[in-house]
Amino acid sequence: MAVSRYTQTQLSHLLKSCSCIPHLTQLQSLLTKSGLLHHPFYLRPLLSLSSLSAWGNLSFSLSLLLSSLPSNGSSNISPALSSLSFPLIRAFSSSIHPSFSLSLFVFLHTHITFSSSSSSLFAFFPFLFKSCGRAFNFSDPPYPPFLHSGLHLHCLVLTLGHVKDHFVQNSLISMYSLFGDIDSARKVFDEMSAKTTISWNALMNAYVRTGDLHSAKRLFLMMPERNITTWNSFIKMFVKSGDLIGAQKVFDEMLQRDSISWNSLIAGYIRAKKYNRALDLFREMQYNKMEPTQLTLISVLGACAELNELSLGKEIHNYLNNKNILIDGLGNTRLL
């Protein structure tokens, strides 16, 4: 159905002004009535906004994408529709349901024939590798099909000739790290012609995750460039090994710190039952206007209970309630 230039301008303006799911729902209804809902010009931003915005809703996105599939029983899906699914696959890879990325990709790949020069397929791989690693890591006990999917996708990348891209290589290192396969992670790293700071950090995280702290320290000293992620990984390494003196030393040497730096060290002190030091650090964190994680807040709440720090405990308790964060019943009881 054709629409006037004015109407198209109005619809484009509405798209840009969307800031919540109810806005998208209203726009979806308007586009449906205009017969334009499945036009790529409108569908693409709708899917991106609903998938990747902080206020997005993946259920809404998935429903929207599925409604765009052929309804005539045809098993053929256009590559253009495949590219429209990219925001969902990317978003699901970071969600609590990373396996949904894999299911969606498998469904599309079953119905679409990609050539080795397909640029539309290339962008998917880093997020698919991320999904494989996280899905495997989340499963308890580890679920082998996620590992097999990762290996299959790695073979597909080799077949399509995309394996030399550094985004793909970095995501492969991270995936094999989550699989606990440090040898494969190292092999990918060694085969990289140009290593970025992200590449070095990915391998260092792999060593820390698998408990090879000696190799992690050696790699840290070899790194040509370090960023805040590197230093945070080094803090986590010392915390994991129980060396809080080493973790504190790294923390003190950092020229720049973020919330992860503070949260990691506080968690280490609480794990070691050094509650006074943990609370001192937490107060310093507040003074420096750094945002604590939910896990840190709940852990510090337990430390307050251990030391009978009722004033700070109530302050944290109120903060958690205002954020609608559920807390452990034991922590509640101890503060009463």
Side-chain angles (χ1 to χ4, degrees):
M1 175 179 177
V3 293
S4 69
R5 189 176 186 84
Y6 174 77
T7 304
Q8 289 178 358
T9 302
Q10 289 286 73
L11 291 173
S12 297
H13 176 73
L14 287 173
L15 266 172
K16 292 177 182 177
S17 63
C18 284
S19 60
C20 61
I21 289 297
H23 288 172
L24 288 185
T25 302
Q26 292 171 12
L27 185 56
Q28 178 189 21
S29 176
L30 180 60
L31 288 168
T32 300
K33 291 175 181 177
S34 303
L36 293 169
L37 179 62
H38 298 145
H39 191 290
F41 181 80
Y42 300 106
L43 183 58
R44 190 182 304 278
L46 273 177
L47 289 169
S48 293
L49 284 169
S50 58
S51 300
L52 302 174
S53 298
W55 45 263
N57 184 305
L58 283 171
S59 296
F60 177 92
S61 302
L62 188 59
S63 174
L64 188 60
L65 180 69
L66 293 178
S67 72
S68 306
L69 298 179
S71 58
N72 56 3
S74 171
S75 61
N76 294 319
I77 299 175
S78 71
L81 184 57
S82 168
S83 69
L84 292 175
S85 71
F86 175 73
L88 278 84
I89 287 179
R90 176 181 172 182
F92 273 124
S93 73
S94 298
S95 74
I96 60 172
H97 300 295
S99 61
F100 284 18
S101 289
L102 303 173
S103 299
L104 183 56
F105 177 79
V106 169
F107 171 77
L108 293 170
H109 187 58
T110 302
H111 295 84
I112 301 172
T113 301
F114 293 98
S115 68
S116 60
S117 61
S118 175
S119 58
S120 62
L121 182 61
F122 163 68
F124 286 80
F125 285 114
F127 301 103
L128 292 170
F129 290 134
K130 181 179 181 179
S131 296
C132 289
R134 293 184 72 240
F136 181 81
N137 194 50
F138 283 175
S139 56
D140 187 20
Y143 190 51
F146 294 135
L147 188 150
H148 297 153
S149 294
L151 297 178
H152 175 74
L153 286 168
H154 192 173
C155 290
L156 184 57
V157 163
L158 289 168
T159 302
L160 296 176
H162 294 316
V163 76
K164 295 300 181 182
D165 178 82
H166 69 273
F167 290 110
V168 169
Q169 291 170 318
N170 290 337
S171 59
L172 277 169
I173 294 171
S174 297
M175 181 188 74
Y176 282 120
S177 163
L178 291 168
F179 288 168
D181 185 355
I182 192 64
D183 291 336
S184 294
R186 181 75 207 208
K187 186 173 186 294
V188 173
F189 179 83
D190 289 340
E191 291 176 352
M192 295 180 72
S193 57
K195 301 174 178 66
T196 64
T197 304
I198 295 174
S199 314
W200 288 88
N201 286 336
L203 184 61
M204 184 168 157
N205 283 329
Y207 281 128
V208 172
R209 180 177 292 277
T210 56
D212 189 351
L213 304 183
H214 175 73
S215 295
K217 290 179 183 178
R218 187 171 57 186
L219 191 72
F220 179 82
L221 296 174
M222 292 170 56
M223 293 178 73
E225 185 180 345
R226 299 162 187 162
N227 59 16
I228 197 166
T229 302
T230 312
W231 290 94
N232 286 340
S233 297
F234 213 38
I235 290 175
K236 291 178 183 178
M237 180 194 71
F238 280 113
V239 166
K240 186 171 184 177
S241 66
D243 183 0
L244 291 176
I245 294 176
Q248 183 69 61
K249 185 172 184 293
V250 172
F251 182 85
D252 292 339
E253 290 176 356
M254 294 176 71
L255 299 178
Q256 202 174 18
R257 306 180 187 112
D258 61 8
S259 294
I260 296 174
S261 319
W262 292 87
N263 288 319
S264 299
L265 191 56
I266 290 170
Y269 280 118
I270 290 176
R271 192 180 307 158
K273 300 187 186 301
K274 296 187 176 183
Y275 302 120
N276 281 314
R277 179 58 188 139
L279 293 185
D280 288 343
L281 203 59
F282 179 72
R283 292 187 181 99
E284 286 182 47
M285 183 181 189
Q286 288 182 306
Y287 179 78
N288 284 276
K289 302 188 185 307
M290 288 291 177
E291 189 73 21
T293 63
Q294 295 181 14
L295 183 58
T296 298
L297 286 168
I298 294 172
S299 298
V300 169
L301 191 61
C304 290
E306 291 288 343
L307 298 175
N308 203 30
E309 288 276 357
L310 295 183
S311 178
L312 179 59
K314 288 178 180 178
E315 182 182 328
I316 296 171
H317 189 276
N318 290 334
Y319 178 91
L320 290 166
N321 283 338
N322 290 336
K323 294 284 187 177
N324 294 318
I325 301 170
L326 296 176
I327 61 175
D328 182 84
L330 180 59
N332 268 326
T333 304
R334 283 176 160 180
L335 286 169
L336 293 177

